[in-house]
Amino acid sequence: MTHLFKNLTNSIWHAFHALQADSGNTVAKSKLKVLTANIGTLMDLYGVEKGLEHYRSTQYLTFDQYTYYLQKEVFSSVTDATSIQTLRALEEGIDEICWLICKKVYLERSHPVFEDHSVYQLFRIYCLLAETEPDATDAYLITMHGDEVARIASHLVMSLGLQWDAVDFSALSAAIGMFRFSTFLAVLESKYSGGNTLDTVALTEAIDDLYQIYVENVVKKGYLMKKGFLLPTLRYFWFVLRPGELTYYKDSQQKDPSGLILLNANCWADASVNSGKPDRRFMLSTPEHRCIELVAEDHKGRLQWLAALQIAIQHSGEKIGYQRSLANQRRSLRQAIKQEKEETKLELQHERQARVAAEIQARKLEALSKEECAKVQQLEDVKHKLELLLQEEKQALRDEEIVRSLQARVLREEWEKREQLEKLQEEQQKLLEMEKMKRLEFERMQQENERQLQEADLRLQQLEAERQNLDTELRAAREKVKRAEEAQLLLEAQILARPLRGGERIRRTQSFIPTTKERPLLEKLESSRPMTLHKNL
């Protein structure tokens, strides 16, 4: 009874937290009746929710008050004689009831990656590994330690075929601290689910593998060859090993079991030796099935199965799940380490206090000693007093000299540091001046380039103007030549049309030949035009 209620405390807390109307850490009895009735129906207890009306005089209950009622009125029906299978069925059913109440809070996400069923499986894993922490408001918080989150996240990452970065997770865990379920789910979805590179089937299979290991207490699973009882032939089966039982199926789908082998403290597993050399075979001895011969895929697999069988046999009679017992051991180890650190801190504080007390006592004893010395000195003669005063004065002078030498050394070091700083400042000033000179030189060069560019532009404009003038003169010359040719053609036509006279000779004029005054102008135009075009290009 105690183990069942302790196993379900985390899931009941999530349901209780989902039913809270405000931040008062209390829930109305009317809402708790529904949860209590469902739990009672699952445990064949009817009407158990009616006792909440007479339980305490308030209409609201805290989590402590509600769990006390469940422990006394509901879970008291579970005895130590209840079988392990019944306890597992009750735990699964109550977890599912609590999930139906609180799933709306966790399934409504902005960017969901996992399927709803996978989130439920992660919820059960979280409730198994989470711890109860006191809150600042005298309430409770269910959180998971960073080591447990690292264990789950690394298993998920390696199942997906990705690379696990322990250093990165350590930094993330230090930043977050303790993980609530929403934070745990967000971290797995956003950082350790492979993003959009993996399909939903791979994620579902990976989470289902986690669920089988942590919730269903699967110690090991895989293919083995089993020798039959009637026919001595070896057949492949898919074996699933849990504490107290070894189930085998036809394939890895695990739909219909082909057989079940119960394990207890009277069972043992031994390696088979063939002709003095070990092979892949090993024997499982049970009181019911006697000796069962199994064959692994390789020698390494046989060793792993033998170790897993030893674990399953060792934990066969426990009502606490194997993974839950491992989690409790890890939690106890963390608490022991934390307590050891606190004890070490307390010891250091005690030692510090003892040292301070010893120093105070030493000062008191020193003061008393000085007083006694002063009384003794008063009884001494004047000469002894003068000698003592002289010695004290010499000692004071020596101390003063020591102090002065120390002050001089400190002052000298300060001057050296100051000189170094001044040198650094001068070097920085020189660098700044050099940078200024470089910048001025660069600006001067830039201005010179701009001036040259402007001069080149002006020269280009002048050449363009000259080219345009020359083009104008060339066109005028060509027009003049054209008019001369037209006049010549007209004159020839008139001469041919006029009849010949007796002594008149017909002079045929040839093509137009420029005059002596026009020829240099045409040569200048023709020679300057290609050069102008070349410069423009």
Side-chain angles (χ1 to χ4, degrees), residues 473-489:
E473 292 177 0
L474 179 63
R475 284 196 297 270
R478 285 180 179 177
E479 288 292 331
K480 188 181 288 186
V481 171
K482 185 177 180 181
R483 287 195 300 268
E485 288 178 355
E486 290 177 355
Q488 182 181 2
L489 292 175

Side-chain angles (χ1 to χ4, degrees), residues 16 29 34 110 113 158 163 170 172 178 182 191 217-218 241 297 309 312 353 367 382 386 463 526 530:
F16 185 89
K29 288 183 178 179
V34 180
S110 58
V113 177
M158 289 185 287
Q163 188 69 27
S170 298
L172 178 65
M178 304 302 290
S182 55
K191 196 172 181 62
N217 291 313
V218 174
L241 177 62
E297 294 182 354
L309 284 169
Q353 292 175 359
V382 177
L386 292 175
L463 292 175
E526 291 297 333

Side-chain angles (χ1 to χ4, degrees), residues 480-531:
K480 188 181 288 186
V481 171
K482 185 177 180 181
R483 287 195 300 268
E485 288 178 355
E486 290 177 355
Q488 182 181 2
L489 292 175
L490 181 62
L491 182 62
E492 289 179 356
Q494 290 177 0
I495 293 172
L496 292 175
R498 188 173 59 182
L500 296 174
R501 296 181 181 179
E504 187 177 0
R505 289 185 306 174
I506 300 173
R507 255 186 336 190
R508 296 182 178 272
T509 60
Q510 295 178 356
S511 61
F512 173 76
I513 300 173
T515 63
T516 307
K517 187 181 291 186
E518 293 174 346
R519 187 179 293 112
L521 179 62
L522 289 174
E523 290 177 354
K524 181 180 181 181
L525 290 174
E526 291 297 333
S527 61
S528 63
R529 181 175 181 84
M531 184 181 301

Side-chain angles (χ1 to χ4, degrees), residues 35 39 67 284 299 337 379 394 478 509:
L35 176 59
I39 295 175
T67 53
L284 175 62
H299 181 65
I337 294 173
L379 300 175
K394 289 181 179 179
R478 285 180 179 177
T509 60

Side-chain angles (χ1 to χ4, degrees), residues 1 25 30 33 45 74 131 147 166 186 262 268 271 284 300 309 335-336 361 370-371 407 426 430 521:
M1 179 268 292
N25 297 323
S30 57
K33 285 181 180 179
L45 299 174
V74 180
E131 304 174 11
D147 295 343
L262 297 178
W268 68 92
L284 175 62
K300 180 180 178 181
L309 284 169
Q335 291 176 356
Q361 186 67 23
K370 287 181 179 180
E371 290 178 358
Q407 289 178 349
E426 290 176 358
K430 290 180 181 178
L521 179 62

Side-chain angles (χ1 to χ4, degrees), residues 208-226:
D208 187 65
D209 187 39
L210 279 171
Y211 183 79
Q212 291 181 7
I213 291 174
Y214 285 93
V215 178
E216 296 182 356
N217 291 313
V218 174
V219 180
K220 187 172 178 58
K221 58 183 178 180
Y223 280 104
L224 290 174
M225 286 192 295
K226 176 181 174 297

Side-chain angles (χ1 to χ4, degrees), residues 6 20 74 115 123 132 205 215 323 343 355 497 507:
K6 187 176 180 180
Q20 289 181 1
V74 180
E115 297 289 337
F123 171 77
T132 304
E205 291 179 353
V215 178
Q323 290 295 334
E343 290 177 355
R355 186 173 64 252
R507 255 186 336 190

